[in-house]
Amino acid sequence: MKTDKKQNQYRTNEQIRVREVRIVGESGSTVMPTRQALDLARQQGVDLVEISPNAEPPVCRLIDYSKFLYQQKKRQKEMKAKQVKVEVKEIRFGPQTDEHDYQFKLKHAQEFLQEGNKVRAYVFFRGRSILFKEQGEVLLLRFANDLEDVGKVESMPSLEGKKMFLYLAPKKAGSAKKSQQARDREAAEAELKETVKQTKQHEAEIDLDTPANGGLLANAKISADALKKLTETESDE
C-alpha cells in the first residue's frame, strides 16, 4: 500500500493533461507543449514526470520513473538518518527520597542529558503525602541546580494532579558552566606556569643555592603539589 501511494504521488506521461510544461535538466529549463515533451520522452526511452504541479507552467523532468522514485526514497532515508532523535527520559521521586536514592537518580539524569536527551523529573504524591508538596518542590529545585552544568530548565516545578513535574533540556556542547573545582584547577595551573616562568628568568642571574632562588623553587613545588592534589581529588570523585 505504501509503494502504491508513493507511485501515485506524481503524475507521469499521459496523466499530465496541461497544455504546456517546463522541462528542467542539466542544461537548464525549457517551456514546450506537453505533447512535444511526451514525444521527447519516448524518443529518449524515459518518462515525463511532473515534479512541481503548482508551478506555472508545471515543472517536469525527463527521467526513468522507477529510478526517480528510488532517488526520492534514498534522499528521504538520508535526511532521516541525519535527524537527531531526542528522547524524553523520566526520573521519579517520592516526596521523602533518601540521599542515596537521590544521588543514584542524579547520576542517571546527568548521563541522559549528556547523551542529548531531555529529562522529565517528577515527584509522585501518594495519598496524604500531597501534604508534603513543598518538600517535593524543594527536591526538584535542588535537582535542577545540581544539573545546571549539563542541563537547563525548560519548565519550573508545577503540580499536575498527584505529580509535580520539572522539565530539563540538555545544554549545547561548550555552553555548560565550569565547576568550581575546574576553575580552581585552572587557577592553580596558571599560578604554576607563572612561577616556573619567573624561575627560568632568574636562573641565569641567581645561583641555584641562593635563598632568593630557593624561594622561587619552593613556590613552584607548592604550586605543583596543589595542582596534583586538585587532580587527585577530581579523580576520586
Side-chain angles (χ1 to χ4, degrees):
M1 294 296 292
K2 289 184 179 180
T3 303
D4 292 341
K5 183 178 179 181
K6 187 70 176 179
Q7 288 179 344
N8 293 330
Q9 184 177 349
Y10 302 94
R11 284 195 288 263
T12 61
N13 301 322
E14 281 73 16
Q15 294 175 347
I16 304 172
R17 301 182 183 279
V18 295
R19 180 176 298 178
E20 61 181 14
V21 294
R22 180 180 296 276
I23 304 298
V24 296
E26 295 180 358
S27 59
S29 65
T30 305
V31 176
M32 64 177 67
T34 304
R35 179 55 53 188
Q36 182 182 346
L38 286 169
D39 291 341
L40 190 60
R42 279 192 282 271
Q43 290 173 12
Q44 297 181 11
V46 294
D47 300 294
L48 180 66
V49 182
E50 186 183 59
I51 60 174
S52 183
N54 296 324
E56 186 60 40
V59 178
C60 297
R61 291 184 63 187
L62 297 173
I63 191 173
D64 183 283
Y65 190 43
S66 298
K67 182 179 179 181
F68 175 74
L69 290 178
Y70 172 77
Q71 290 175 340
Q72 290 289 99
K73 184 178 180 180
K74 183 179 178 180
R75 189 177 296 111
Q76 290 177 359
K77 187 176 181 180
E78 289 174 350
M79 290 177 63
K80 186 176 180 181
K82 291 180 180 179
Q83 293 177 347
V84 178
K85 186 177 181 181
V86 178
E87 296 183 9
V88 179
K89 303 290 187 178
E90 283 195 345
I91 301 289
R92 172 176 170 170
F93 293 102
Q96 296 177 325
T97 300
D98 61 50
E99 185 63 22
H100 180 269
D101 190 32
Y102 174 84
Q103 293 297 333
F104 178 78
K105 292 177 178 178
L106 178 67
K107 181 180 179 181
H108 277 287
Q110 288 173 333
E111 293 173 353
F112 293 150
L113 291 167
Q114 289 170 346
E115 291 170 357
N117 299 306
K118 293 187 177 183
V119 170
R120 177 171 63 186
Y122 68 94
V123 180
F124 180 69
F125 301 97
R126 190 187 305 275
R128 292 176 60 84
S129 66
I130 193 68
L131 299 173
F132 301 101
K133 62 181 181 180
E134 290 80 8
Q135 293 183 21
E137 183 176 6
V138 170
L139 186 149
L140 290 176
L141 290 174
R142 176 193 174 190
F143 192 64
N145 185 67
D146 289 344
L147 292 169
E148 66 175 352
D149 286 348
V150 292
K152 59 183 178 181
V153 176
E154 278 195 334
S155 176
M156 294 297 286
S158 60
L159 188 64
E160 300 177 19
K162 294 184 178 181
K163 297 179 180 179
M164 181 175 287
F165 291 95
L166 168 74
Y167 293 87
L168 297 167
K171 280 188 175 180
K172 293 182 179 179
S175 64
K177 295 180 179 178
K178 293 180 181 178
S179 66
Q180 184 61 47
Q181 190 177 63
R183 291 194 292 269
D184 290 343
R185 186 180 68 252
E186 289 181 357
E189 289 174 347
E191 181 183 354
L192 175 59
K193 289 179 180 179
E194 182 62 26
T195 303
V196 171
K197 180 180 178 181
Q198 293 177 9
T199 302
K200 289 182 178 180
Q201 290 175 347
H202 286 74
E203 281 181 349
E205 304 173 1
I206 304 175
D207 187 79
L208 292 176
D209 294 329
T210 61
N213 192 60
L216 286 172
L217 293 175
N219 288 338
K221 185 176 185 302
I222 291 172
S223 298
D225 290 342
L227 178 60
K228 181 179 179 182
K229 184 176 180 181
L230 278 172
T231 305
E232 290 176 349
T233 302
E234 187 180 32
S235 298
D236 291 341
E237 294 182 356

